[in-house]
Amino acid sequence: MNESTYQAGAKIAGTVEDHFLKHIALAADNGEEDLAAVPSAKIIETMIDVAFWASLRKEEGNEPRISLAFLKPSQAGRPLMFEKKLPLSPKVLVKLAPGVERAGVYVGVWYEDGELYIWGTTIKLPNYCFVLDVSEPGLLVVKHRRIIGLGKFANVAVLKGDQVKLVDEASALLNDTPAMLGSLLGHNASALWNNSVNVLIQIAVSMRAHKHGGILLVTPYGTDTWKESIVHPLQYQVAPAFTGVSDLLRQDSNKVSEIYWQNALRREVDNITGLTAVDGATLINDRHELLAFGAKIMRASRSEPVEQVLWMEPVIGGHPSLIHPSSIGGTRHLSAAQFVHDQNDSIALVASQDGNFTIFSWSGQTQMVQAHRIDSLLL
């Protein structure tokens, strides 16, 4: 393995190795099986270096999107094996990328005699398998497959050019942490396919993916106090409430397969999150029933303007700070913060066109709105 030239990878490789060593050791102590091998810091550094330089190249005008997984073929179920091993290099990755860019396809990487090589592709990964995503030019995400929980892998680190963010799992232990954030950090993840928080995470991922920006307000089922914070008349109110997602959640898991449910959920989620691109806010209740979209948020008559929120990001070195909500991202964020300030039992998910994503929720401990920036967990 040659010396790397992308120094950000060298800086975090040891920390990332420690993360995988800790989690795999804990999983083994708990009797978990099908655990992945831990890549050494040098292997992590080399994979990041090769992936970074590959991300800056193009093949026939297209930017590569590729996911590398560190595992040997025997742990990959029924892998697609190449007759000859391919060297792990930027040139090879860029040439290979168009054929493996679909979500859920991983390029298998292993080593022999101190050299990393590509042996083929797989759609099956062992638990805690090291995965390195090339998301866009200069943007890499280190993640791993969860033992429990559906869909979203757990992110470990995000590298964008010379900027590096290491996910701080201890953030999940703070008071008043939203359930969605706790799940993304692995603290309260559920293995139930119809878990409400897992579904909300999929909604957030889909909402961020359309890149138009938007607001999703989640209100308690069976109440209409949210109407105090919305301009009337509503242009796009839904009556009766649309129950596409909630109907899926009520299905008996013994009567439908996980693959069927995941495909059906993806369609229903995209149906709802597409509406968040319409100017205004989209409203659902905590049973995921669609109530309205294109709604204009206003300050409730009984309330005062929100002046400060407690802003934080779940990364190592991130420190909570008091800021005006408009400084997070403009009027969209100010409106969402005002809504949660007035409707304490609701949460607001806000996607920016630049990819930033924020959860606004009410903190009973501090008696103020808190804003968690979570785009580093959704990549």
Side-chain angles (χ1 to χ4, degrees), residues 32 127 145-150 152 186-191 198:
E32 301 289 351
N127 295 321
R145 181 182 180 276
R146 301 174 185 270
I147 290 181
I148 61 173
L150 295 174
K152 184 72 183 69
H187 180 62
N188 57 356
S190 171
N198 285 338

Side-chain angles (χ1 to χ4, degrees), residues 55-72:
S55 76
L56 303 182
R57 299 189 180 191
K58 291 186 177 182
E59 177 66 11
E60 297 182 346
N62 296 314
E63 299 163 347
R65 290 177 60 89
I66 195 167
S67 294
L68 306 178
F70 181 75
L71 76 165
K72 50 189 174 183

Side-chain angles (χ1 to χ4, degrees), residues 229-249:
S229 300
I230 298 296
V231 175
H232 294 275
L234 283 162
Q235 186 172 2
Y236 304 111
Q237 186 164 5
V238 179
F242 179 69
T243 59
V245 173
S246 58
D247 288 344
L248 279 175
L249 299 188

Side-chain angles (χ1 to χ4, degrees), residues 104-126:
V105 178
Y106 304 93
V107 175
V109 176
W110 197 242
Y111 65 98
E112 187 175 282
D113 299 328
E115 294 293 330
L116 291 170
Y117 65 88
I118 298 170
W119 52 257
T121 68
T122 181
I123 58 174
K124 180 183 181 299
L125 300 177

